Amino acid sequence: MSRRSIFVNALTFARVPLIFLWAAFAVWGELAYGGASACGWCCGRFAFFLAAGVCMFLSGMTDLWDGKLARRWDVVSTLGKMADPLMDKVFYLVAFPVLAWQTARQGLGTAMEQSILWLTVLYLLRDTWVTFMRSIGTMYGADVGAMWLGKVRTALSFPGAGWIYCHLALAPMVTCESRWVTHAWPASVLFAEGFLAGLTLLSLVTYTRAYMPYLKRALERK
């Protein structure tokens, strides 16, 4: 295995420790300075936000650059094709439950709490189902590479999760009662969550239709 191939694979697997570091900083900061009654500027809270934000940003960038470098350096491998979606799933498994916990802890209201809760459930169900369908497809030699819609969903999930986290971490520190903070920003978060939910549902349907023939063959197999 060449050094370039090792570097690309290391970049892919780096997504996991980076998102766990984000979770650690996000939870630690929320426990130390957050909660439904905590608001106003706080240097300690901002420091945790900055550290967590950098970790989430770098985690998202690994998804952008590992594939680009693999294609540019001609080191695309089966390991990389299998590891990349797995690392994405780890990102979702860590990021969205933490965001749901943070939303509930801050007491942001029923709409915000339920939207992130159901988005989290939808992400986990979709990825579990698609993994199952891909496994069935593998039995019959199907191409299990990521589809275009799946790639778009993944690419938008990183900034989407980042935007939700920015709201949860920064909004309590903004003391002014501006219309942006009290109305527009929460509305933009709800819109982002709804958009990601729609993409996830569409992706679920697309993958199901693509792999359904293989599932039927498996059901008919004696």
Side-chain angles (χ1 to χ4, degrees):
M1 184 178 291
S2 67
R3 291 182 179 179
R4 288 183 173 182
S5 181
I6 293 173
F7 177 79
V8 169
N9 287 326
L11 198 60
T12 299
F13 284 100
R15 202 167 308 146
V16 171
L18 284 170
I19 198 57
F20 271 102
L21 278 175
W22 165 80
F25 284 124
V27 171
W28 192 0
E30 186 65 31
L31 291 175
Y33 301 101
S37 61
C39 61
W41 176 259
C42 175
C43 292
R45 182 169 189 152
F46 184 77
F48 276 108
F49 160 73
L50 192 61
V54 169
C55 291
M56 177 174 273
F57 174 77
L58 291 176
S59 182
M61 291 301 292
T62 63
D63 181 65
L64 175 66
W65 285 105
D66 60 353
K68 284 189 174 182
L69 290 176
R71 290 186 293 272
R72 179 179 298 179
W73 292 341
D74 194 24
V75 291
V76 177
S77 64
T78 303
L79 173 62
K81 289 181 179 180
M82 299 298 291
D84 188 61
L86 177 61
M87 298 305 104
D88 294 338
K89 288 175 177 57
V90 174
F91 180 94
Y92 306 145
L93 282 167
V94 175
F96 287 107
V98 171
L99 292 173
W101 168 81
Q102 192 173 4
T103 302
R105 178 177 166 80
Q106 291 187 9
L108 296 179
T110 302
M112 191 71 74
E113 292 172 7
Q114 289 197 10
S115 62
I116 186 64
L117 172 62
W118 289 113
L119 179 64
T120 302
V121 172
L122 183 59
Y123 259 78
L124 300 185
L125 286 176
R126 180 269 180 196
D127 282 7
T128 302
W129 175 251
V130 170
T131 299
F132 168 70
M133 295 295 278
R134 278 175 166 164
S135 300
I136 298 297
T138 302
M139 294 167 52
Y140 299 97
D143 181 7
V144 295
M147 296 181 182
W148 178 82
L149 185 61
K151 292 179 179 179
V152 171
R153 169 184 170 270
T154 299
L156 294 179
S157 294
F158 291 103
W163 183 244
I164 296 169
Y165 176 64
C166 284
H167 174 261
L168 295 174
L170 292 181
M173 290 190 285
V174 181
T175 55
C176 62
E177 292 296 323
S178 68
R179 187 174 181 83
W180 163 251
V181 175
T182 58
H183 295 90
W185 200 354
S188 71
V189 172
L190 288 173
F191 174 80
E193 291 171 355
F195 182 76
L196 289 177
L199 267 182
T200 301
L201 281 172
L202 185 58
S203 174
L204 175 64
V205 172
T206 302
Y207 274 92
T208 300
R209 291 180 62 183
Y211 287 99
M212 185 56 69
Y214 303 107
L215 180 59
K216 289 180 178 179
R217 289 175 63 182
L219 291 172
E220 294 169 355
R221 185 177 179 181
K222 294 181 179 181

